[in-house]
Amino acid sequence: MKTAIQSAAFQFKLDLKSGVPAYRQIIDQVQAGIAAGRLASGDQLPTVRQMAVDLAINPNTVLRAYRELEIRGVIETEQGTGTFISGRKPQQSQAERERQLNQLVGEFAARCGSAGLALAEVIDRLKELAYETSRSGKREGR
Amino acid sequence: MKTAIQSAAFQFKLDLKSGVPAYRQIIDQVQAGIAAGRLASGDQLPTVRQMAVDLAINPNTVLRAYRELEIRGVIETEQGTGTFISGRKPQQSQAERERQLNQLVGEFAARCGSAGLALAEVIDRLKELAYETSRSGKREGR
Amino acid sequence: MKTAIQSAAFQFKLDLKSGVPAYRQIIDQVQAGIAAGRLASGDQLPTVRQMAVDLAINPNTVLRAYRELEIRGVIETEQGTGTFISGRKPQQSQAERERQLNQLVGEFAARCGSAGLALAEVIDRLKELAYETSRSGKREGR
Amino acid sequence: MKTAIQSAAFQFKLDLKSGVPAYRQIIDQVQAGIAAGRLASGDQLPTVRQMAVDLAINPNTVLRAYRELEIRGVIETEQGTGTFISGRKPQQSQAERERQLNQLVGEFAARCGSAGLALAEVIDRLKELAYETSRSGKREGR
DNA sequence: GTGGTCTAGACCACG
DNA sequence: GTGGTCTAGACCACT
């Protein structure tokens, strides 16, 4: 038996004026949700049609985002059932992880700097992203 | 006192995989540079051809960015001389700034997610960085 | 200066009655071409529009195949220029390679058997695939 | 001499990622089994429910395959008893066989390509396999 | 009802 | 001219 949509707490939003393709914004938000812990292995994503309605875009655009996430192994799709966060955890060496973290953070800080954004405000925004809805209910294992 | 070519210190960078059009990234960086005080009235921008070489893109793309900036009154072009930051304070709109912040943060969070990094640890690392930077007390040239 | 289409020797074909999606047949044929050595790093693929005309399908279908190949790192796409076989060579350990070869071949043989196909005829077909056009001109390095 | 349930030895397998619809794969395997002599007139096929469980698919999908086979006269269904290979020799058409060969070989070549294996070495390995098999001189039960 | 494939066609970004 | 994004809508495969 399936329970109601657990990911109801997760809200997708589009900024159509940003120049960033809609499908890419969806991909980013799913991956950001995973990083923030708001989406975890087994969680169901909104159906293609539902998200299309929510975001007022064409279902094909949602489909495309989901397909790309599936190719990358981020989500899994079950015909006629729905779309779920995949169980895969890459699990790399601690050293490698550390290296990657520094690489990402360093590059990001540089970019913020060149955009005239203070790290302080950027960190605040990230915190919001991370903790905003982190206390929402989750589906276990699957 | 400012010299004519001081903006040589200003480095443009593109992320071609971000989904943000190249011309848009150039516009953003010019405006951010002005907002941050790294570009001021009268500073010369790289020539179209130079920037095209630097960024490994087509000169037409640079041209388009410059044209749009000129329309907005941010820069001024002098035939046979070069392109310069205009006298007007363009005052990058708050909305524009907000857009850019969300864009940067969202994309960054997505990368963290796909790298299997939790936002929590990333934020910690950023805080360290911010603290270190603030203790050194000034911005280094770049 | 670009020379004529080097991959002219490579012929794509679709079997629309097979039940296998067109986009997947394209993907398969590109990958098979690489395995057969008929497509090598740097070779240009037909343009999206050209292949669409050749195969009498919609350009979007070709686009989709190319996009998926790009996500997988098999090809690289240059805006306004064309689509090329990527330079990446996975390069794994010899032991791993051997294991994988046996795995693939074993599974394939089993499937042929259960389809009532003799290995002899299957091998013949594979040889045709492999040597058919292997003496066609190639573009160097890129 | 044939017993009623001898087809228990016949194993069906699905490749859900191949893009070939599940029902089609079942049809193909039944017809191939007949062509190969592993399924003969009067042999009983697994019940719809049993096959659905074995292949982890929906019973409706099996049903659809059986229905189509029955329409073609390949099998016969007896209410309350089971499903059996019909008396008629369906004679899988040459075209049909050709299609399946191309399908299998093409897909296999694609996998080899994406695994970075050259067809040449794969063919060698297959030849070895074929030789070994032919020396043992008979097909082992399976 | 859920996801998957495909088409036809508009408009954008880039060379 | 090249590839890229998106829409609207038809039809298929599967639960």
Side-chain angles (χ1 to χ4, degrees):
Chain A
M1 187 190 93
K2 293 204 187 297
T3 65
I5 301 165
Q6 288 83 358
S7 55
F10 196 86
Q11 273 305 334
F12 289 88
K13 284 179 190 171
L14 289 188
D15 178 357
L16 293 174
K17 299 181 182 174
S18 69
V20 183
Y23 84 97
R24 191 171 221 291
Q25 292 186 46
I26 295 173
I27 292 175
D28 282 356
Q29 285 178 43
V30 169
Q31 304 214 111
I34 293 173
R38 288 205 308 282
L39 288 177
S41 194
D43 285 2
Q44 178 169 14
L45 289 174
T47 67
V48 169
R49 287 156 168 89
Q50 187 57 50
M51 184 178 283
V53 169
D54 290 351
L55 300 179
I57 58 176
N58 189 288
N60 277 326
T61 304
V62 180
L63 203 57
R64 173 172 174 184
Y66 279 13
R67 198 181 315 126
E68 188 153 340
L69 282 166
E70 170 145 48
I71 293 173
R72 296 191 186 161
V74 176
I75 65 177
E76 281 166 10
T77 235
E78 291 180 29
Q79 264 275 21
T81 309
T83 304
F84 305 85
I85 303 294
S86 145
R88 253 193 26 179
K89 290 276 175 183
Q91 200 60 324
Q92 47 199 337
S93 82
Q94 186 54 32
E96 177 61 12
R97 244 178 92 83
E98 190 66 19
R99 191 198 58 71
Q100 207 175 353
L101 198 164
N102 282 329
Q103 154 79 25
L104 265 173
V105 168
E107 191 182 295
F108 176 58
R111 199 177 301 178
C112 289
S114 84
L117 299 169
L119 276 192
E121 63 184 331
V122 166
I123 289 174
D124 285 346
R125 189 75 195 77
L126 268 174
K127 277 187 189 163
E128 290 172 31
L129 246 185
Y131 302 123
E132 221 161 29
T133 46
S134 65
R135 64 249 163 319
S136 62
K138 300 249 172 47
R139 201 171 145 199
E140 80 294 0
R142 192 165 93 83
Chain B
M1 188 190 85
K2 290 183 190 306
T3 66
I5 319 283
Q6 100 201 110
S7 58
F10 195 85
Q11 273 303 334
F12 290 88
K13 281 183 190 173
L14 290 188
D15 180 354
L16 293 173
K17 297 188 179 173
S18 69
V20 185
Y23 80 98
R24 177 100 207 219
Q25 293 186 47
I26 295 173
I27 293 174
D28 281 354
Q29 287 179 39
V30 170
Q31 305 224 76
I34 294 172
R38 287 200 308 282
L39 288 177
S41 194
D43 285 2
Q44 180 171 14
L45 288 174
T47 65
V48 169
R49 286 176 189 179
Q50 187 56 51
M51 183 177 284
V53 170
D54 290 350
L55 300 179
I57 58 176
N58 190 289
N60 281 326
T61 305
V62 181
L63 205 58
R64 172 167 178 187
Y66 280 13
R67 201 187 320 129
E68 195 155 322
L69 281 165
E70 177 148 35
I71 292 173
R72 294 190 197 173
V74 177
I75 66 177
E76 283 166 9
T77 289
E78 292 181 28
Q79 268 289 5
T81 312
T83 305
F84 304 85
I85 303 296
S86 112
R88 276 180 30 186
K89 283 272 176 188
Q91 196 61 300
Q92 192 186 22
S93 81
Q94 185 55 32
E96 188 69 1
R97 200 163 180 294
E98 188 68 18
R99 181 192 63 71
Q100 223 180 323
L101 200 171
N102 282 330
Q103 159 72 31
L104 266 171
V105 169
E107 190 185 302
F108 175 59
R111 284 190 194 184
C112 292
S114 77
L117 300 169
L119 279 194
E121 59 185 333
V122 166
I123 290 173
D124 285 346
R125 189 75 195 77
L126 264 175
K127 277 186 190 162
E128 291 171 30
L129 238 181
Y131 181 63
E132 285 168 19
T133 307
S134 73
R135 275 203 315 169
S136 68
K138 68 207 57 145
R139 86 166 201 265
E140 78 287 12
R142 200 174 127 64
Chain C
M1 187 191 94
K2 292 205 187 297
T3 64
I5 301 165
Q6 289 80 0
S7 54
F10 196 86
Q11 274 304 335
F12 289 87
K13 284 179 190 171
L14 289 188
D15 178 358
L16 294 173
K17 298 182 182 174
S18 69
V20 183
Y23 85 97
R24 193 172 219 292
Q25 293 186 45
I26 294 172
I27 293 174
D28 282 356
Q29 286 178 41
V30 169
Q31 304 213 110
I34 294 173
R38 287 204 309 282
L39 289 177
S41 195
D43 284 1
Q44 179 170 14
L45 289 174
T47 67
V48 169
R49 287 156 167 92
Q50 187 56 51
M51 184 179 283
V53 169
D54 290 350
L55 300 179
I57 59 177
N58 189 288
N60 277 326
T61 304
V62 180
L63 202 58
R64 173 172 175 185
Y66 280 12
R67 199 182 312 126
E68 188 153 339
L69 283 166
E70 170 145 48
I71 294 173
R72 296 191 186 162
V74 176
I75 66 178
E76 281 166 10
T77 236
E78 291 180 30
Q79 265 276 19
T81 308
T83 305
F84 304 85
I85 303 294
S86 146
R88 255 192 26 179
K89 291 274 172 183
Q91 201 58 325
Q92 48 199 334
S93 82
Q94 186 54 32
E96 176 61 11
R97 244 179 91 83
E98 190 66 19
R99 191 197 59 69
Q100 207 175 352
L101 198 165
N102 283 329
Q103 155 79 26
L104 265 172
V105 169
E107 193 182 293
F108 176 58
R111 201 177 300 177
C112 290
S114 84
L117 299 169
L119 276 193
E121 62 183 332
V122 166
I123 289 175
D124 285 346
R125 189 76 194 78
L126 268 174
K127 277 186 189 163
E128 289 172 32
L129 245 184
Y131 300 123
E132 220 160 31
T133 46
S134 65
R135 65 250 164 317
S136 63
K138 298 249 173 46
R139 198 171 144 200
E140 82 293 1
R142 196 166 97 80
Chain D
M1 187 190 84
K2 291 184 190 302
T3 66
I5 319 283
Q6 99 202 107
S7 59
F10 195 85
Q11 272 303 334
F12 290 88
K13 282 182 189 173
L14 291 188
D15 180 354
L16 293 173
K17 297 187 179 174
S18 68
V20 185
Y23 80 97
R24 176 99 208 219
Q25 293 186 46
I26 295 173
I27 292 174
D28 281 354
Q29 287 179 40
V30 169
Q31 304 224 79
I34 294 173
R38 287 201 308 283
L39 287 177
S41 194
D43 285 1
Q44 180 170 15
L45 288 174
T47 65
V48 169
R49 286 177 188 176
Q50 187 55 50
M51 183 178 285
V53 169
D54 290 350
L55 300 179
I57 58 177
N58 190 289
N60 281 326
T61 305
V62 181
L63 205 57
R64 172 167 177 186
Y66 279 15
R67 202 187 319 128
E68 195 155 323
L69 282 166
E70 177 147 36
I71 291 173
R72 295 191 197 172
V74 176
I75 65 176
E76 283 166 7
T77 290
E78 292 180 27
Q79 268 289 5
T81 312
T83 304
F84 303 85
I85 303 296
S86 116
R88 275 181 30 187
K89 283 272 175 189
Q91 195 61 300
Q92 192 186 20
S93 81
Q94 186 54 32
E96 186 70 0
R97 202 163 178 292
E98 190 66 17
R99 182 193 64 71
Q100 223 180 324
L101 200 171
N102 281 331
Q103 158 72 30
L104 266 172
V105 169
E107 191 184 302
F108 176 58
R111 283 191 195 183
C112 291
S114 77
L117 300 169
L119 278 194
E121 60 186 332
V122 166
I123 289 174
D124 286 344
R125 189 75 195 77
L126 263 175
K127 278 185 189 164
E128 292 173 29
L129 240 181
Y131 181 63
E132 285 168 19
T133 307
S134 71
R135 275 202 317 168
S136 69
K138 70 206 57 146
R139 87 168 201 266
E140 78 288 11
R142 200 174 123 67

